[in-house]
């Protein structure tokens, strides 16, 4: 049983588990760690209304940081020390969050760049059930930051890249001030491969792709001139991570879209051949293509792009019909040209021409599905006032 400090109580009370676990990842922070942890501890004891603990999660320090962390854990009630030999902030957070017995797991940078007054607004929507993930943002409306021009430009460019390439809706992926419900963290962590600085971005992308509720809180943030972040190597590693997520996401969609397309094509051919004797090739093509496209849109909506709610279903079908028009126009034009060249072609030749003409339409439909029809599938997210 852990001993956790209870706010507004001068004594110490034993509780089975804290409500909030504030993890402070460290790497070679022996010179400043004690002062910062004592400052955080004092703030929580005086101002924070829920039971809490502070976990110092060291990752690969070589300067005596683990010894300082263990001493603070022995001296300060509610402070824990976790020492990991491997370097990597993400790995330290992964281990600390997985082992935590708290309801909400959070983390903040050891330099305490973010105003501590934002901690309660950060965790409140998680405890109320309003949100699954909460992140501090230096780029949201209302945020106040003090940092150098170089870091400001790099941060804005990086987040603009995420929005453009990965279609992220959150503004600030890398602010060192985040919180999650513990059950949400345990569900997301297996999907996060990175154990270093890209951990934050990958965690948020995984949350967004699963449709979790992300709340973004503007914060007051002051740059630490003694930051341990090496900008160029970190930026290169982040770009590799973005490329990995981009490729993985597109491959998953492409494989599923292709599988649905194969099934739709088989159904189309069978329907075309069955209808042609009764209504002729042009109408057979229109009916077969229309029926299979409705089914194609429905299956892609649910299976390929993961939309399971009823909201927007009719709109998606209408948009799918617009995508159908491109394929219908191409295949109809192909059949018309075929009949101009050969007035009585064999049914198999007609089907082959329709399939060939529709291949280009398939590529267009995928682009429309990916970047128009399902590009605006909502990810619940808010910016608090």
């Amino acid at each position: 049983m852990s001993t956790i400090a209870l706010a507004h109580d001068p004594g110490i009370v034993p509780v089975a588990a804290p409500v909030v676990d504030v993890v402070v990842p460290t790497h070679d922070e022996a010179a400043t760690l004690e002062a910062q942890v004592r400052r955080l501890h004092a703030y929580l004891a005086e101002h924070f209304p829920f039971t809490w603990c502070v976990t110092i999660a060291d990752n690969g320090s070589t300067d005596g940081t683990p010894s300082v962390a263990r001493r603070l854990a022995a001296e300060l009630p509610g402070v824990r020390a976790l020492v990991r030999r491997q370097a990597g902030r993400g790995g330290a957070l992964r281990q600390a969050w997985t082992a935590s017995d708290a309801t909400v797991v959070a983390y903040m940078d050891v330099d305490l760049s973010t105003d501590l007054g934002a901690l309660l607004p950060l965790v409140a929507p998680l405890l109320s059930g309003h949100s699954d993930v909460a992140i501090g943002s230096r780029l949201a409306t209302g945020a106040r930051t003090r940092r150098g021009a170089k870091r400001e430009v790099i941060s804005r460019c990086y987040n603009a890249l995420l929005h453009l390439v990965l279609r992220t809706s959150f503004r600030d992926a890398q602010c060192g001030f985040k919180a999650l419900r513990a059950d949400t963290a345990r569900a997301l962590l297996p999907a996060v491969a990175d154990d270093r600085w890209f951990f934050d971005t990958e965690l948020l992308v995984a949350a967004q792709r699963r449709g979790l509720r992300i709340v973004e809180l503007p914060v007051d943030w002051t740059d630490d001139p003694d930051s341990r972040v090496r900008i160029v190597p970190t930026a290169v590693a982040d770009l590799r991570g973005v490329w990995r997520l981009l490729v993985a996401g597109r491959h998953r969609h492409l494989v599923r879209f292709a599988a649905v397309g194969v099934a739709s094509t088989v159904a189309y051919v069978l329907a075309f051949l069955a209808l042609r004797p009764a209504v002729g090739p042009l109408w057979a093509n229109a009916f077969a293509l229309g029926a299979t496209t409705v089914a194609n849109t429905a299956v892609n909506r649910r299976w390929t792009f993961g939309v399971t709610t009823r909201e927007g279903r009719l709109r998606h079908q209408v948009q799918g019909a617009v995508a159908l028009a491109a394929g219908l126009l191409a295949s109809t034009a192909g059949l018309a040209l075929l009949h101009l060249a050969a007035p009585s072609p064999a049914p198999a030749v007609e089907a082959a021409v329709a399939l060939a003409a529709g291949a280009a339409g398939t590529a267009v439909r995928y682009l429309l599905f990916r970047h128009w029809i399902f590009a605006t599938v909502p990810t619940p997210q808010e910016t608090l006032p």
Side-chain angles (χ1 to χ4, degrees):
M1 182 176 293
S2 302
T3 301
I4 309 299
L6 183 65
H8 310 303
D9 189 334
I12 303 300
V13 296
V15 295
V19 173
V20 178
D21 186 350
V22 182
V23 179
V24 181
T26 59
H27 179 77
D28 290 346
E29 304 286 355
T32 60
L33 178 61
E34 180 167 359
Q36 300 294 59
V37 169
R38 288 189 181 277
R39 176 186 162 198
L40 174 60
H41 186 275
Y43 176 86
L44 292 171
E46 183 176 353
H47 300 291
F48 201 65
F50 302 105
T51 55
W52 51 268
C53 72
V54 174
T55 300
I56 304 170
D58 188 66
N59 60 100
S61 289
T62 59
D63 68 343
T65 299
S67 297
V68 177
R70 292 188 180 101
R71 177 169 56 79
L72 290 171
E75 293 179 7
L76 298 176
V79 174
R80 303 168 176 175
L82 183 155
V83 177
R84 185 174 183 267
R85 291 183 179 179
Q86 298 90 344
R89 182 183 65 170
L93 290 173
R94 182 192 303 275
Q95 187 171 344
W97 286 352
T98 300
S100 181
D101 54 356
T103 303
V104 168
V105 291
Y107 96 86
M108 62 178 63
D109 290 337
V110 67
D111 54 25
L112 305 186
S113 292
T114 305
D115 183 0
L116 294 176
L119 182 59
L120 180 57
L122 186 78
V123 303
L126 306 178
L127 293 172
S128 69
H130 175 274
S131 303
D132 304 298
V133 180
I135 62 175
S137 176
R138 297 159 296 187
L139 304 178
T141 302
R144 293 183 293 182
T145 64
R146 287 185 292 173
R147 56 177 169 176
K150 182 170 72 172
R151 285 182 176 271
E152 180 75 15
V153 170
I154 290 173
S155 177
R156 290 187 178 275
C157 289
Y158 177 69
N159 284 283
L161 176 68
L162 294 181
H163 180 71
L164 177 66
V165 175
L166 298 179
R167 308 193 69 82
T168 57
S169 51
F170 44 84
R171 294 172 177 83
D172 190 354
Q174 294 287 49
C175 181
F177 195 70
K178 294 181 174 67
L180 301 82
R181 291 187 56 84
D183 54 353
T184 299
R186 284 188 286 271
L188 287 177
L189 287 174
V192 180
D194 191 85
D195 274 346
R196 291 182 175 270
W197 295 101
F198 191 66
F199 175 91
D200 290 55
T201 300
E202 191 167 3
L203 181 77
L204 293 179
V205 170
Q208 178 173 302
R209 287 178 174 176
R210 284 158 177 75
L212 298 182
R213 297 166 296 177
I214 302 174
V215 62
E216 193 165 9
L217 173 75
V219 296
D220 294 347
W221 193 87
T222 303
D223 191 16
D224 176 19
D226 191 35
S227 173
R228 297 290 189 271
V229 180
R230 295 185 302 163
I231 295 178
V232 174
T234 300
V236 171
D238 285 348
L239 291 175
R240 285 200 300 264
V242 171
W243 174 252
R244 174 168 55 81
L245 293 185
L246 174 65
V247 171
R250 283 189 171 176
H251 280 183
R252 184 185 69 251
H253 286 148
L254 278 172
V255 168
R256 294 189 175 186
F257 183 84
V260 175
V262 169
S264 298
T265 299
V266 172
Y268 163 80
V269 172
L270 294 175
F272 178 86
L273 294 175
L275 291 169
R276 182 190 176 280
V279 299
L282 296 182
W283 283 109
N285 174 65
F287 286 140
L289 196 57
T292 53
T293 298
V294 169
N296 180 288
T297 300
V299 174
N300 274 312
R301 182 179 190 270
R302 183 176 183 86
W303 189 52
T304 304
F305 296 96
V307 182
T308 58
T309 61
R310 293 186 176 184
E311 182 181 357
R313 185 165 55 184
L314 179 59
R315 174 171 54 83
H316 291 153
Q317 282 291 351
V318 172
Q319 290 173 314
V322 174
L324 160 66
L328 181 59
L329 180 62
S331 55
T332 300
L335 285 169
L337 290 174
L338 173 64
H339 278 267
L340 286 175
S344 301
V349 174
E350 288 178 335
V353 170
L355 286 174
T362 298
V364 173
R365 282 205 308 276
Y366 175 74
L367 292 175
L368 290 173
F369 271 56
R370 182 72 177 85
H371 297 292
W372 177 47
I373 299 175
F374 298 113
T376 56
V377 174
T379 296
Q381 177 184 11
E382 292 180 5
T383 299
L384 292 180

